[in-house]
Amino acid sequence: MVNVHANVITKELGTYLRKHVAACLRLLDEGATVPFISRYRKEATGGMDEVTVYNIKKRHEALFEIEKRKEYIRQILTENNALTPELDARIEETLDPVVLEDIYLPYKPKRNTRAQAARALGLEPLAKMIMSQSSGSSASQLAAKFVKGDVKSADDAIAGASDIIAEWVSESEKARNIVRSRYQRSATIVAKVVPGKEADGDKYQNYFNFSEPLRTCNSHRYLAIRRAEEEGILKVSICIDDNEMIDRLSRMFIRSTASAELADIVAAAVKDGYRRLMRPSIENEIAASTKEKSDNGAIQMFADNVRQLLMSPRWDVSASLPLIPVIGPVARW
């Protein structure tokens, strides 16, 4: 595994030879610490500093987690007779956990969702007919043959089929990438004080009515906003233009040759799938990735400040120590 990870990390870094990265990984696997490697093993690592060694360590760990996740996904797909050679190849080649989860999503065991309930009623064939938008029959005519048992009417059948279509929309890799890309480019973080919490959250008052493009929100502001949210002071959301996104997704899923009735059903399902299923999922994903970047940025800033302080020729340890009043006999150190 070291050799595989060495290839990946060397390519990503682009500044060190593979043998230096491999040596760093072997030292890490042997239990050497980041300070030890960066200080005493520079000849093996090509002079890597502690930041580089730390980043290699984190990437090494992340790649292990991706491999473990791949094996789990392959196991689930195999158990469900869904692992095709093409799907296995896609799983093997990706190193992005987000892409991996998008590949897995349509096959992921479902909870008791509305779409699952509709499938249990036998409405998936109706969903496929509506989604194809190629029938010359009306939606009611298509739904008529599914009216039986717990499906009391054609409207009930269409509603269940629409829930299945909404789930298909939310699981579409292409659709998710479109929405994810829009979040990454133009999302806005919005924070508002929870009514009645103004006094408790006085230290967060700068964020009581806050809005800023997410890409320009620096790490300390983002972390402060999320802390306030955890403390119940703020309600926070990450937003994009929903109407514009629904229009774009509708154009993606609605065929130009569809009848107005079938197009309207699919459009409603696209809107539901986006608002109820896809947007919350991707908003949480973006929030988590931004939190991770902000944490890393804060750690890096702290490390840089400490390094500058320690490297300063005028820094005097004794001058920075607090004065301690002595009571009674002076203790021997």
Side-chain angles (χ1 to χ4, degrees):
M1 194 63 70
V2 165
N3 289 332
V4 175
H5 290 187
N7 292 336
V8 172
I9 296 171
T10 301
K11 185 176 180 181
E12 291 175 349
L13 285 177
T15 52
Y16 288 90
L17 296 177
R18 184 192 176 283
K19 66 178 182 179
H20 295 145
V21 175
C24 182
L25 293 177
R26 282 194 293 271
L27 288 165
L28 289 167
D29 285 350
E30 290 167 4
T33 64
V34 171
F36 176 84
I37 295 170
S38 62
R39 180 171 297 183
Y40 300 112
R41 291 294 180 265
K42 288 186 179 296
E43 76 289 348
T45 65
M48 293 179 185
D49 61 17
E50 67 275 14
V51 174
T52 303
V53 176
Y54 174 78
N55 289 336
I56 289 175
K57 177 176 182 291
K58 296 298 290 184
R59 186 56 173 152
H60 190 36
E61 293 169 350
L63 290 171
F64 267 121
E65 291 302 315
I66 291 172
E67 293 301 326
K68 285 169 57 179
R69 184 62 174 166
K70 286 181 179 180
E71 288 307 309
Y72 172 79
I73 290 172
R74 286 192 179 99
Q75 178 185 340
I76 296 297
L77 294 178
T78 301
E79 291 172 356
N80 290 279
N81 297 317
L83 186 62
T84 64
E86 295 79 11
L87 197 57
D88 190 45
R90 291 191 66 205
I91 291 170
E92 179 62 29
E93 71 184 13
T94 186
L95 295 172
D96 187 333
V98 173
V99 173
L100 183 62
E101 294 305 322
D102 278 355
I103 293 171
Y104 178 45
L105 187 58
Y107 309 95
K108 192 173 184 177
K110 304 293 192 297
R111 297 172 297 173
N112 189 23
T113 63
R114 284 162 46 175
Q116 283 296 90
R119 288 189 184 94
L121 293 173
L123 296 173
E124 190 161 24
L126 175 60
K128 290 179 180 178
M129 285 188 279
I130 293 174
M131 191 63 166
S132 72
Q133 304 163 66
S134 58
S135 175
S137 302
S138 69
S140 296
Q141 290 171 329
L142 294 174
K145 66 178 71 172
F146 296 92
V147 179
K148 55 188 174 183
D150 290 333
V151 182
K152 303 300 184 184
S153 67
D155 286 344
D156 289 344
I158 293 169
S162 295
D163 287 336
I164 296 172
I165 294 171
E167 186 173 89
W168 287 339
V169 169
S170 75
E171 292 177 348
S172 163
E173 279 189 67
K174 183 177 179 181
R176 292 180 72 84
N177 283 333
I178 288 171
V179 175
R180 184 180 293 118
S181 177
R182 181 57 56 87
Y183 264 94
Q184 291 168 342
R185 290 197 314 269
S186 56
T188 299
I189 182 168
V190 177
K192 294 191 179 295
V193 65
V194 174
K197 292 290 186 176
E198 291 84 356
D200 294 339
D202 182 62
K203 63 182 177 180
Y204 299 115
Q205 62 181 331
N206 289 341
Y207 307 113
F208 280 3
N209 189 23
F210 178 84
S211 176
E212 182 180 8
L214 184 63
R215 57 188 171 78
T216 64
C217 184
N218 64 35
S219 60
H220 80 263
R221 280 201 300 274
Y222 186 82
L223 294 175
I225 289 168
R226 288 302 180 184
R227 271 197 310 274
E229 181 184 36
E230 290 176 3
E231 294 173 17
I233 305 300
L234 298 178
K235 181 175 177 59
V236 182
S237 60
I238 300 175
C239 311
I240 58 175
D241 188 330
D242 288 338
N243 292 330
E244 180 187 356
M245 188 52 57
I246 290 168
D247 286 344
R248 183 169 180 185
L249 295 179
S250 295
R251 292 195 299 272
M252 174 180 164
F253 287 102
I254 296 173
R255 296 188 177 182
S256 59
T257 57
S259 68
E261 182 187 23
L262 293 181
D264 286 346
I265 293 172
V266 173
V270 168
K271 181 177 180 179
D272 178 48
Y274 169 77
R275 287 188 178 275
R276 180 169 58 87
L277 301 172
M278 191 194 302
R279 184 186 65 185
S281 169
I282 292 181
E283 181 179 346
N284 288 339
E285 176 189 305
I286 295 297
S289 65
T290 306
K291 172 70 161 56
E292 182 178 7
K293 290 176 184 175
S294 296
D295 284 337
N296 291 337
I299 291 168
Q300 186 62 55
M301 183 181 297
F302 178 78
D304 290 343
N305 289 341
V306 171
R307 185 181 298 107
Q308 290 175 14
L309 180 63
L310 293 175
M311 295 297 289
S312 172
R314 296 186 178 182
W315 189 68
D316 183 353
V317 176
S318 62
S320 67
L321 295 176
L323 294 175
I324 303 175
V326 177
I327 303 176
V330 178
R332 295 174 63 86
W333 292 92

